[in-house]
Structures are given as structure tokens and as C-alpha cells.
Amino acid sequence: KIYPEDAKRGEYLPHYARFFNSVELNTTHYRIPGDEVVKDWLSQVPPGFRFCPKIYQGISHTSHGLLDQRLIGDWTAFLTRLGGKCGPSFLQLPPHFDYSMKNDLFLFLKNWSPVFRLSIELRHPSWFENGKVLPALTEYLHSKGIGLVMTDVAGRRDVLHSSLSDGHALLRFVGNRLDRSDFRRAQSWAVRVAHLQDIGLRELYLFIHEPDDDSVPEMTIY
């Protein structure tokens, strides 16, 4: 549906960029790309395209990785190489990262360079109250110009929220093979996004996930 049948793996990006103007960059969660890889990516996408890289797991998923200044320096150097095509990074915290571990997170946020946009994905219920991210955290993120990732997964309603902390946000919509419930959830988000625009949302990065990626174009169009 997106890629020609004879397309090789290294040729996917320009075809993708014909239909989509941003990408959730998961490969960066497993390694920080070198200069040549980044140059190749940049050469294959048009002006206005944005890469939204998931922060390297050595930072987000290891003990005290959020405080590892060497790794964080390597990450910000990578963001610098992306230049004007760098969208928000997103920090996906591991499922066990609960509110009791907040000190490491707040130190990381305190030291984050304001040159680069950042969004936070929280996956432990202790960060939420009445379906919203804890107000103290939302207020702090607002003061730093840091956004929130909203993730809608059919099986994880305990971490579903539509809290806004900045003029940008990431919405990760995880579908269920185009089940009717996917479309009902999408309709609900259309209403929520309209409300978020009324209270300050200016830029939304929407990423669609389906168990079978062949279903992504239909859900995206819808």
C-alpha cells in the first residue's frame, strides 16, 4: 500500500515520506545513529519532514541512565545532526518506573537542553490521578516547555490520559486490527484534540500502530 513490491529495505524512507510528514523513530531506542546514517536519512525526506526519536534505552531503561551525562551528551549530539528535521524526542519510561523514582526523572528534566523539544511517556499508574497526569508534574513540565505523550492502548486504560503540558504533544494510537472499537476510540480522540486545541495545543504528532502494519494506512486516513 505504501511501498512498491520491489522496494528494498534501504529504499523505504522516501516512499514513506510521500504519504507521512513525520515518523516515530524506534531504531534510536536501540542505538544512537552515527553521522553517515543521519545524513542518509536527511537526504531522503522533503523539507518539513520531522523525525521524532525515541530516546536511547541506555538512558531511559538502565539504572541511573537518566543521570549519565556522557550518554545524554551523545544523544544531544545526534539531535544536533538532525537539524531542522528534528521533531520532539520522546522519553518512554519503563513500566516499572513509578513515582517513587521521581528524583532521577526531575534531575534529567532539569538538565535537559531547552534547545531540543521533549515529550514524556509515563507507563506506571502511580503517575496518574483521576485519568490525568499528576498536576504537580504537568505544571513543572509546562514551566520547562516539555510535552507529554498520550498513548491509547486497548488493554491499558489505567495510563490513558489527555493531559497537556505544552503547545506540542505526541499521540500514540495502538489499534486492534481495525476492530470497530478502534474507530470509536478514534472518534473520541477527534473530540479530545479539538478541546486540546482550545486550551493551547498547537502541534500534534499522531502515530498509528496496528498489530498488522498493513492496517495503518486505513486507520491513518480515518
Side-chain angles (χ1 to χ4, degrees):
K1 299 172 185 176
I2 299 295
Y3 310 111
E5 288 187 10
D6 60 350
K8 298 178 176 60
R9 187 172 183 82
E11 301 168 348
Y12 287 176
L13 182 55
H15 293 295
Y16 175 93
R18 290 171 56 215
F19 298 95
F20 301 96
N21 62 6
S22 61
V23 64
E24 181 183 301
L25 201 54
N26 283 303
T27 185
T28 54
H29 186 61
Y30 302 102
R31 61 185 177 279
I32 301 177
D35 289 356
E36 293 307 313
V37 172
V38 175
K39 287 179 183 177
D40 187 46
W41 287 346
L42 296 179
S43 71
Q44 296 184 63
V45 297
F49 189 91
R50 296 291 180 268
F51 294 92
C52 297
K54 185 186 292 186
I55 288 180
Y56 176 55
Q57 63 183 351
I59 298 171
S60 63
H61 281 63
T62 62
S63 178
H64 303 301
L66 293 170
L67 308 179
D68 190 325
Q69 294 305 309
R70 181 188 63 80
L71 276 181
I72 294 170
D74 291 344
W75 181 260
T76 54
F78 156 63
L79 298 181
T80 300
R81 292 194 292 271
L82 284 176
K85 291 188 172 67
C86 183
S89 298
F90 72 100
L91 176 69
Q92 184 184 71
L93 293 168
H96 67 268
F97 194 97
D98 63 17
Y99 185 73
S100 71
M101 305 168 77
K102 62 184 181 296
N103 287 346
D104 280 6
L105 175 60
F106 277 94
L107 284 171
F108 172 82
L109 297 175
K110 179 181 178 181
N111 293 321
W112 180 263
S113 170
V115 173
F116 305 108
R117 286 183 297 169
L118 174 68
S119 284
I120 309 295
E121 183 176 24
L122 302 160
R123 297 195 291 166
H124 192 278
S126 62
W127 294 98
F128 301 88
E129 185 177 75
N130 299 322
K132 296 183 178 180
V133 175
L134 294 174
L137 176 59
T138 304
E139 291 168 11
Y140 179 75
L141 295 178
H142 178 73
S143 73
K144 297 280 289 183
I146 295 172
L148 284 161
V149 178
M150 298 171 283
T151 302
D152 188 331
V153 183
R156 285 299 308 274
R157 312 317 280 171
D158 57 334
V159 296
L160 175 63
H161 75 92
S162 54
S163 300
L164 189 68
S165 62
D166 188 57
H168 84 274
L170 276 70
L171 171 55
R172 305 178 71 239
F173 183 91
V174 184
N176 189 23
R177 295 181 175 86
L178 300 183
D179 184 84
R180 282 182 296 179
S181 62
D182 288 0
F183 297 97
R184 289 196 296 269
R185 288 159 56 207
Q187 290 168 355
S188 175
W189 274 109
V191 174
R192 292 188 205 182
V193 169
H195 171 68
L196 292 172
Q197 288 178 303
D198 289 340
I199 62 173
L201 179 66
R202 295 292 173 264
E203 192 170 24
L204 178 70
Y205 291 83
L206 170 63
F207 298 116
I208 305 293
H209 296 264
E210 290 282 348
D212 179 354
D213 281 343
D214 282 355
S215 305
V216 166
E218 286 84 353
M219 197 70 243
T220 305
I221 290 168
Y222 187 79

